[in-house]
């Protein structure tokens, strides 16, 4: 929970142009649909800085749109203040989680870092959200399938643990 009383979630991948901005949009819509928009602050960032300022990858936007997600985030890099500002920092794969734990300044900050794969339920063969950047269309669809599954569980977990009334 932030000082403003909001539950804050930061999704993190490598480039912040494929997986994490999609995760941000998926969770944001779930929060909006449950009437919890005022209670959450959701953002995304990358561990790498190559695409700073860019919109999400065109392929990610093209695959997200038919599912009703407009991806309008502009890429940014993870910064030290994120570890203070966010209650939960969610890495998409083991490398993201490893990088984030190294960037954390304290044990408390390290403890905010979780793995998106731990929230995947319907796809038991996946323990992470794979990087689609060098993949074809099916890679982007898979990312969206995994994110919709994981975000649903993530949101339910936050609601239960904090006794949030919907
Ligand atoms: P993302 O995908 O981490 O899901 O945003 C990538 C985007 C760009 C690069 C790698 C992964 N890249 O190497 O530029």
């Amino acid at each position: 929970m932030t000082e403003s009383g909001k539950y804050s979630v930061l999704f993190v991948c490598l480039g912040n142009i494929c997986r994490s901005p999609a995760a941000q949009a998926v969770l944001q819509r779930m929060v909006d649909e449950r009437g919890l928009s005022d209670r959450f602050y959701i953002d995304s960032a990358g561990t790498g800085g190559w695409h700073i300022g860019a919109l999400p990858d065109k392929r990610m936007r093209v695959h997200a749109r038919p599912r009703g997600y407009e991806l309008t985030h502009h890429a940014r890099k993870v910064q030290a203040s994120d570890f203070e500002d966010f209650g939960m920092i969610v890495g998409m794969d083991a490398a993201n989680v490893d990088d984030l734990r190294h960037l954390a300044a304290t044990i408390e900050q390290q403890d905010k870092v979780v793995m998106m794969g731990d929230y995947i339920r319907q796809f038991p063969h996946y323990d992470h959200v794979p990087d689609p950047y060098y993949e074809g269309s099916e890679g982007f669809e898979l990312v969206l399938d995994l994110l919709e599954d994981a975000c649903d569980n993530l949101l339910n977990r936050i609601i239960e643990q904090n006794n949030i009334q919907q």
Side-chain angles (χ1 to χ4, degrees):
M1 178 113 69
T2 61
E3 281 172 28
S4 63
K6 294 191 182 204
Y7 298 92
S8 52
V9 180
L10 180 69
F11 290 110
V12 175
C13 60
L14 181 58
N16 193 212
I17 55 169
C18 296
R19 293 166 290 174
S20 62
Q24 178 184 352
V26 169
L27 185 64
Q28 185 67 58
R29 191 173 78 194
M30 287 177 181
V31 161
D32 294 346
E33 284 175 352
R34 295 197 198 191
L36 295 171
S37 314
D38 295 347
R39 311 291 308 277
F40 280 80
Y41 179 66
I42 304 161
D43 195 6
S44 66
T47 56
W50 312 284
H51 303 281
I52 289 172
L55 277 172
D57 187 288
K58 180 88 189 291
R59 298 164 295 169
M60 194 75 250
R61 283 186 280 145
V62 163
H63 285 276
R65 192 167 299 126
R67 301 191 192 211
Y69 307 112
E70 289 295 330
L71 306 186
T72 57
H73 177 76
H74 290 268
R76 72 173 182 85
K77 198 173 175 186
V78 176
Q79 53 198 17
S81 57
D82 288 328
F83 291 90
E84 294 162 19
D85 296 342
F86 287 87
M88 190 177 213
I89 302 179
V90 189
M92 294 292 139
D93 61 31
N96 303 149
V97 167
D98 206 38
D99 289 345
L100 286 165
R101 294 213 168 117
H102 278 99
L103 287 169
T106 64
I107 300 287
E108 287 74 23
Q109 292 184 359
Q110 277 187 10
D111 288 345
K112 293 182 176 187
V113 179
V114 298
M115 169 75 149
M116 192 63 156
D118 290 343
Y119 296 90
I120 293 171
R121 290 284 177 276
Q122 292 174 30
F123 302 86
H125 297 302
Y126 287 93
D127 61 1
H128 67 289
V129 182
D131 183 350
Y133 196 65
Y134 297 104
E135 303 295 330
S137 294
E138 66 289 347
F140 288 86
E141 289 297 323
L142 173 65
V143 164
L144 289 163
D145 288 341
L146 294 171
L147 293 178
E148 286 178 335
D149 177 30
C151 280
D152 189 52
N153 285 306
L154 180 71
L155 181 55
N156 284 336
R157 194 86 63 89
I158 295 173
I159 287 170
E160 280 165 22
Q161 284 178 350
N162 296 282
N163 206 13
I164 298 172
Q165 304 301 317
Q166 298 179 67

